[in-house]
Amino acid sequence: MKVFDEMTLPRILVVISLIFLTSCTMATAVPEIYLKQSDIKMELKKDAYGIETLYVSKDGKYMLTGTMGDVLSPKMASMRLWDLTEGKQLLMKPSLSKWIDSVALSPDSRYSAIGGWAIHGWQGNKASVLEIWDIVNGVLLKDFKELRGSIVSGVNFSPDGRYLLATTGNDIHLIDTKTWSIVRTMSSDYQKPPFRPFVPSMPYFSSAVAAFSPDGKFILSGGPDGVVRLWDVETGKEIKQFRGHKRGLMGGVSAVAFTPDGSYALTSGWHDDNVMLLDIKTGDEVRRFSGFESYMSVYVSGLALSPDGKHVLIEGIPLKIWDIQTGKGLTDLSYIWKGMKTASIGKAQYHPNCQYVLFSWSEPAVRIYDIKTGEEIAVLIGFEGGEWLVITSEGYYNASEKGAQYLSVKVGDKKYDMNLFYDVFYRPDIVAAKLRGDDIKDLTTITMQDAIKNPPPVVEISPISPLPASSKVKVCYKVKSTGGGIGEVRLFHNGKLIESDGYYKEAARTATEKTQVAKLDSKAIYEDMRSVKVKEKADISPVTTRTKGDVFNDCKEIDAISGENEISITAFNRDNTVQSYMQTAKFNSTMKPEEPHIYILSIGVDQYKDNSVNLKYAVKDSKDIEERLIKQASTLYKSHNIHYELLTDSNATKANIINKITDLSKNVKPTDSFVLFVAGHGILLQNQYYMLTYEYDGKVSDANMISSNEIVEMSKKIKSLSQLFIFDTCHAGGVDLIVSGLYDARMSVLAKKMGLHIYASASSIQQAMDGYQGNGLFTYTLLDGLNNKKEADRNKDNSISLVELGEYSKTSTTEISKKIGQQQTPLIINFGKDSAVYNLN
């Protein structure tokens, strides 16, 4: 009796394959991520399917990654572009693939090639996917529909960018990058098994691998037959063969690579304990690396050659870096298997600095390791929806708007949201410094591992009972220590900070008092920060606050507003390093609504006592912004309810600014709006932001600058629950990655602490002096956004909100700055509730 017809077995195998593949894909939705060096567990709270492959640009600035989708759902894979100098994601685009197997960047980092596969129908009909993207504009240029049948397992640009290699099964396709057309296809004569399930993750169903020679004249390839071939690029002819790897269903060549001078090649096999160094000219085997263990019939899955050609990382067990010349093993990185849910390495590549190696695993992360020490430098995590987070081994991180919400830190059976560490550990500047290879030990005072040893307290709010006839409401609460003590307590009303008792420690300015602002470049800033030595563990806290014991009870009287009122309270541990979960209570007030007012305070300083740092457009910016705000406010407020004050040059003293805030505080009510605009100089000293006042005479002092602490107190003093602070401040010492990263950290924490909106843009003094069409660039885009700009109305409600205005000005500033060669990206930070700025005419 005939049990199977000729189509039954393939269908059964496809079903088995899909079951296996689905289990692998589901397994890659890893519930936990480890920080290896500190052994911190982080639980994922958002889908983040595995990053399967990566490619680092030749200059080390960019990294391209490819993720897995889901075979049995509409979910497709995605391509992500990362900036490795700043430690952030730049671009995320969904792919046509279900599984991205390979990615590559063109030498000029303008184009990306994506190789993968998709499955259609219950029979498992598969389609190769090869996509070409213009990543500068985020546009798909070409989808090679003519390639069908097997996965596109490898993509590789030639050194001059003229050609692209794409491998499918036994075939190597040479593609012209000017026309994006296939020039020729080179194939081996290996006969595939007649029936086999389509499971890309199974190593014994290997496809061809290929690499260009350093001069771009030759191609080295390997395939399922175990033969390594050398091809001539121009003619497509096979020049010679190298043998020594196993062939067949359980064999094949897993990787090939040229040495930088093109004289030698390294090759590895899936199912044999062979990594060979071959002489290209003679065909002789020069050296063999061995001693690898088998995992799921795999001995070595790949090779990562150092850019200088001295070392090779062999992706096997053990996971080790080898000296190519001597054949001796060097750094053993096998410890990084610890905590993995899978032992599958997707891709490994050296950083061009020869100091780091990067790994993609079948988990939602790329890991970066120091080659000499084996230390885990950073982990880059990509979440669904385009969110992302980059975190160092110490716990300092950079993240997208919602990225930190999707991770929680696990300590035993307790979990703490990453957002609870925001004030201390959100440090884009430290992430960038770590990725550069800088020693950050003097820039940090505590690790996340140490911080969570003192857990945050818990907060309880007593029921709130407002009196119908009174605008005053009493709010009582209790804070209880859970072992870490009690530090700063913050109380918010409708998202806006109204009470707190914590202050950032004043900077020890002994060194910087003698340093001119014009010389405070990034090097001086970091040297200044490093000069602050932590003498005792008690000095770890960046914030000073009064002692509260283990239980703290307090009551505050607040001004209620008509309608819904939301009271939120959070507290920190004694070190002010970890925040408690925010507790919220709501109540409704029946008091009569009041007519809203808007108060505008605009400050601009061109002329300082130290005329060496004088500016050109700050005063004009402050006047223009005030006039435009007054005009547009008339679409929302009655004319007699629009109040404005202007302080410029010699009137913009510290005393005048603080006195003006005090005067305004006597009139501003919670239902009113408040806008503060500052144009002038801003500086960063020992982890704090300061705005310089007119009195600056060449030496920084409390008398001529307003600190972050004082800015917080200003915001608290002004009772308005809707506040916008705009800082268009110039950094005389220049703006680079260090300055912009630290600026981001300080402004973001400031906005979160105050619970309001901050627009901030740091520019160099040259940028400020150059300006753009008669204003500072950022102010120019703000004025444009305030000019009845329908393009800014993203939700089409005929009104421009705080969030919409900020996003419009950010996008415009970024685009214009690129065109004029300034590279300026404003920070738009929204922690307050969104509200209208003006209505469109």
Side-chain angles (χ1 to χ4, degrees):
M1 182 177 67
K2 187 176 182 181
V3 180
F4 300 119
D5 61 26
E6 63 180 1
M7 290 303 297
T8 302
L9 181 58
R11 289 173 178 171
I12 292 174
L13 291 175
V14 165
V15 171
I16 294 172
S17 302
L18 287 173
I19 293 172
F20 176 83
L21 184 58
T22 302
S23 66
C24 287
T25 305
M26 291 176 65
T28 59
V30 187
E32 291 180 356
I33 291 285
Y34 283 74
L35 287 181
K36 303 288 179 193
Q37 204 68 22
S38 54
D39 201 27
I40 289 178
K41 298 178 183 178
M42 299 183 293
E43 185 174 88
L44 296 173
K45 301 191 294 179
K46 176 80 172 179
D47 282 349
Y49 278 65
I51 294 177
E52 184 68 13
T53 187
L54 64 85
Y55 182 90
V56 179
S57 63
K58 300 303 181 185
D59 59 4
K61 183 174 182 179
Y62 301 111
M63 177 179 69
L64 190 69
T65 61
T67 63
M68 294 173 284
D70 193 331
V71 175
L72 300 183
S73 82
K75 181 177 179 180
M76 307 302 286
S78 63
M79 167 193 74
R80 296 172 187 260
L81 182 69
W82 305 78
D83 187 322
L84 287 179
T85 60
E86 296 189 48
K88 65 181 182 181
Q89 180 182 292
L90 298 175
L91 178 73
M92 192 280 282
K93 290 290 182 180
S95 169
L96 301 174
S97 302
K98 283 292 187 178
W99 191 306
I100 294 178
D101 237 42
S102 53
V103 295
L105 281 170
S106 61
D108 60 3
S109 295
R110 179 174 180 179
Y111 302 108
S112 68
I114 307 297
W117 60 274
I119 283 185
H120 305 286
W122 75 272
Q123 290 182 319
N125 297 321
K126 53 191 177 295
S128 299
V129 176
L130 176 59
E131 304 169 33
I132 307 300
W133 287 81
D134 178 340
I135 58 175
V136 174
N137 300 305
V139 177
L140 178 63
L141 293 181
K142 171 80 173 181
D143 169 21
F144 284 79
K145 296 179 181 178
E146 61 266 39
L147 293 178
R148 290 289 184 267
S150 185
I151 64 172
V152 177
S153 57
V155 287
N156 189 5
F157 283 93
S158 62
D160 60 4
R162 182 182 174 187
Y163 294 113
L164 171 72
L165 282 181
T167 56
T168 58
N170 293 336
D171 300 329
I172 305 163
H173 308 281
L174 186 68
I175 298 168
D176 188 309
T177 58
K178 288 185 177 179
T179 61
W180 299 115
S181 59
I182 298 175
V183 176
R184 67 178 59 89
T185 297
M186 294 158 279
S187 304
S188 69
D189 57 0
Y190 178 66
Q191 298 297 313
K192 302 177 185 178
F195 303 122
R196 60 175 181 169
F198 179 64
V199 187
S201 61
M202 294 292 281
Y204 44 84
F205 300 134
S206 59
S207 296
V209 291
F212 280 104
S213 61
D215 60 9
K217 295 180 179 180
F218 304 101
I219 294 171
L220 193 68
S221 74
D225 60 359
V227 179
V228 175
R229 293 176 168 84
L230 186 69
W231 308 82
D232 184 281
V233 170
E234 291 302 320
T235 65
K237 292 183 178 179
E238 182 181 312
I239 300 173
K240 64 176 61 175
Q241 295 183 355
F242 307 88
R243 296 180 180 273
H245 294 294
K246 289 184 179 180
R247 60 173 288 162
L249 183 65
M250 301 295 284
V253 179
S254 60
V256 295
F258 278 98
T259 56
D261 63 1
S263 299
Y264 300 93
L266 281 159
T267 67
S268 62
W270 285 113
H271 196 63
D272 55 66
D273 186 13
N274 281 342
V275 174
M276 297 186 294
L277 179 66
L278 305 173
D279 187 307
I280 293 294
K281 187 175 183 179
T282 65
D284 295 335
E285 179 183 323
V286 178
R287 184 166 293 106
R288 182 172 296 200
F289 305 85
S290 59
F292 303 99
E293 301 175 14
S294 172
Y295 173 79
M296 289 182 64
S297 301
V298 177
Y299 282 88
V300 175
S301 60
L303 303 169
L305 190 66
S306 65
D308 59 10
K310 294 180 179 179
H311 305 123
V312 61
L313 172 71
I314 298 178
E315 300 171 28
I317 304 176
L319 183 62
K320 188 181 291 186
I321 294 171
W322 300 75
D323 186 297
I324 293 176
Q325 186 174 3
T326 65
K328 293 182 179 180
L330 302 175
T331 309
D332 192 335
L333 296 173
S334 298
Y335 87 94
I336 67 179
W337 295 110
K338 180 183 176 183
M340 285 293 182
K341 301 296 182 181
T342 173
S344 173
I345 301 176
K347 179 72 174 179
Q349 185 179 341
Y350 266 81
H351 191 283
N353 64 12
C354 290
Q355 184 177 348
Y356 297 150
V357 65
L358 298 89
F359 291 95
S360 66
W361 307 75
S362 293
E363 64 168 359
V366 170
R367 296 178 181 273
I368 304 177
Y369 292 89
D370 186 286
I371 294 164
K372 291 183 179 179
T373 65
E375 176 192 358
E376 184 174 78
I377 300 301
V379 178
L380 299 85
I381 306 169
F383 298 99
E384 288 304 303
E387 303 293 339
W388 55 271
L389 183 142
V390 180
I391 185 168
T392 72
S393 55
E394 297 84 3
Y396 294 91
Y397 69 92
N398 190 9
S400 58
E401 183 180 356
K402 298 180 181 178
Q405 298 177 18
Y406 300 148
L407 275 183
S408 59
V409 179
K410 294 187 68 176
V411 184
D413 59 350
K414 294 183 179 180
K415 292 183 290 186
Y416 303 98
D417 286 356
M418 185 68 73
N419 273 337
L420 303 183
F421 300 86
Y422 190 92
D423 277 40
V424 174
F425 290 94
Y426 177 72
R427 291 293 301 272
D429 61 307
I430 289 180
V431 172
K434 191 77 181 287
L435 291 175
R436 282 195 308 273
D438 293 355
D439 184 357
I440 67 168
K441 67 177 182 296
D442 291 333
L443 301 177
T444 62
T445 54
I446 191 172
T447 66
M448 190 174 287
Q449 186 180 32
D450 289 330
I452 56 181
K453 292 176 182 177
N454 292 313
V458 294
V459 176
E460 298 175 2
I461 304 177
S462 301
I464 302 173
S465 301
L467 298 174
S470 175
S471 63
K472 300 291 185 180
V473 174
K474 190 176 184 181
V475 176
C476 295
Y477 59 92
K478 177 190 291 186
V479 183
K480 296 188 295 186
S481 170
T482 61
I486 302 172
E488 181 184 6
V489 178
R490 298 176 185 172
L491 188 150
F492 298 83
H493 183 191
N494 286 10
K496 160 69 175 54
L497 180 72
I498 58 173
E499 295 282 352
S500 67
D501 64 346
Y503 301 87
Y504 277 95
K505 290 180 178 177
E506 290 300 325
R509 291 188 291 273
T510 53
T512 56
E513 283 174 354
K514 300 177 182 179
T515 303
Q516 291 186 347
V517 169
K519 296 181 180 179
L520 276 175
D521 58 11
S522 60
K523 181 180 179 181
I525 288 172
Y526 265 7
E527 286 178 352
D528 184 42
M529 291 174 65
R530 293 178 195 276
S531 69
V532 181
K533 301 296 183 182
V534 179
K535 297 179 180 179
E536 299 178 6
K537 195 174 181 66
D539 291 332
I540 285 174
S541 174
V543 177
T544 58
T545 186
R546 61 190 174 110
T547 304
K548 299 183 180 69
D550 289 333
V551 180
F552 177 70
N553 292 279
D554 201 5
C555 293
K556 299 291 183 182
E557 190 175 67
I558 69 165
D559 295 299
I561 63 172
S562 177
E564 185 176 78
N565 291 255
E566 181 181 273
I567 304 299
S568 302
I569 300 176
T570 185
F572 287 75
N573 61 2
R574 71 169 66 91
D575 294 330
N576 292 297
T577 53
V578 188
Q579 180 182 341
S580 74
Y581 285 100
M582 187 86 72
Q583 296 300 314
T584 300
K586 297 180 180 180
F587 67 89
N588 284 294
S589 173
T590 57
M591 60 185 291
K592 184 180 178 181
E594 298 183 80
E595 279 190 0
H597 293 235
I598 183 170
Y599 294 83
I600 303 164
L601 175 58
S602 191
I603 302 168
V605 185
D606 281 339
Q607 306 294 319
Y608 293 87
K609 286 189 175 180
D610 177 7
N611 58 23
S612 69
V613 296
N614 283 351
L615 298 173
K616 185 176 181 180
Y617 295 107
V619 170
K620 185 176 185 298
D621 286 349
S622 64
K623 291 178 179 178
D624 290 350
I625 283 289
E626 183 186 58
E627 289 176 4
R628 192 65 57 83
L629 283 171
I630 292 169
K631 178 182 177 181
Q632 296 294 35
S634 64
T635 65
L636 295 172
Y637 303 89
K638 294 180 179 180
S639 59
H640 60 273
N641 290 341
I642 301 173
H643 313 274
Y644 46 91
E645 297 284 351
L646 179 67
L647 295 175
T648 61
D649 285 344
S650 60
N651 288 321
T653 63
K654 181 171 183 177
N656 283 351
I657 294 170
I658 292 176
N659 288 338
K660 187 59 64 178
I661 291 289
T662 301
D663 290 342
L664 288 172
S665 69
K666 297 173 182 176
N667 299 313
V668 181
K669 298 179 180 179
T671 52
D672 298 332
S673 294
F674 175 67
V675 179
L676 172 69
F677 176 85
V678 178
H681 277 292
I683 61 173
L684 297 163
L685 293 178
Q686 295 179 352
N687 209 17
Q688 281 202 70
Y689 171 79
Y690 296 83
M691 51 178 281
L692 294 186
T693 59
Y694 164 75
E695 297 97 326
Y696 175 71
D697 59 359
K699 296 181 180 179
V700 296
S701 71
D702 290 334
N704 59 34
M705 58 187 189
I706 295 175
S707 70
S708 300
N709 285 334
E710 291 167 311
I711 293 171
V712 171
E713 290 307 301
M714 288 179 184
S715 177
K716 289 194 302 185
K717 188 175 288 187
I718 299 291
K719 292 184 178 181
S720 165
L721 298 183
S722 176
Q723 297 188 17
L724 169 63
F725 281 29
I726 305 173
F727 298 97
D728 191 357
T729 49
C730 164
H731 193 275
V735 178
D736 59 10
L737 295 180
I738 294 175
V739 173
S740 60
L742 187 55
Y743 199 75
D744 183 347
R746 291 306 97 216
M747 285 299 183
S748 297
V749 170
L750 195 62
K752 182 175 186 288
K753 179 170 184 175
M754 294 189 291
L756 49 75
H757 303 264
I758 287 184
Y759 302 169
S761 189
S763 60
S764 69
I765 192 167
Q766 186 59 52
Q767 289 173 327
M769 294 298 283
D770 291 343
Y772 186 77
Q773 297 190 16
N775 289 103
L777 176 57
F778 180 52
T779 296
Y780 169 85
T781 63
L782 279 173
L783 290 168
D784 185 41
L786 286 166
N787 191 24
N788 202 44
K789 207 68 180 180
K790 294 181 180 180
E791 294 88 335
D793 185 14
R794 295 170 60 184
N795 61 4
K796 306 302 179 185
D797 64 351
N798 209 40
S799 176
I800 306 301
S801 72
L802 289 166
V803 172
E804 288 173 330
L805 175 62
E807 286 304 312
Y808 177 82
S809 62
K810 177 180 179 179
T811 301
S812 298
T813 303
T814 304
E815 291 176 352
I816 294 173
S817 69
K818 285 181 179 178
K819 292 178 182 177
I820 62 178
Q822 289 190 354
Q823 293 296 307
Q824 186 175 345
T825 303
L827 298 169
I828 306 300
I829 312 157
N830 301 298
F831 281 103
K833 291 190 175 181
D834 199 12
S835 58
V837 179
Y838 69 94
N839 290 329
L840 292 168
N841 296 330

